[in-house]
Amino acid sequence: MDIDARHLLCPLPVLRLRRALQPLPSGATVRLVATDPAAVIDVPHFCAEGGHELVSVEPSEPGARAFTVRRA
């Protein structure tokens, strides 16, 4: 599942990620694309607090990063 959170500011990218993960089974992955500079702090923090695994963070397009998260 992909979430397009480009041009959304904190806390909206993480809120969209949380909402997308909730109905998924354990082990499912979600890819979040965000342009908010705070996402590099917020997404890892969200994963640590929720027990989710931050699988990868990689550049997506100019000014955006793609975060792949595995549900706990």
Side-chain angles (χ1 to χ4, degrees):
M1 169 184 288
D2 286 350
I3 302 167
D4 182 0
R6 291 174 294 172
H7 311 294
L8 298 178
L9 297 177
C10 179
L12 293 176
V14 168
L15 292 176
R16 292 213 175 161
L17 176 60
R18 178 173 31 176
R19 187 175 8 173
L21 286 172
Q22 283 177 343
L24 298 178
S26 180
T29 59
V30 172
R31 183 174 177 262
L32 170 75
V33 178
T35 53
D36 181 5
V40 297
I41 297 167
D42 294 342
V43 173
H45 179 73
F46 166 77
C47 291
E49 291 293 313
H52 307 297
E53 178 187 356
L54 181 57
V55 177
S56 68
V57 180
E58 49 196 48
S60 173
E61 59 189 60
R65 286 194 174 88
F67 301 86
T68 303
V69 176
R70 181 172 289 119
R71 190 184 193 296

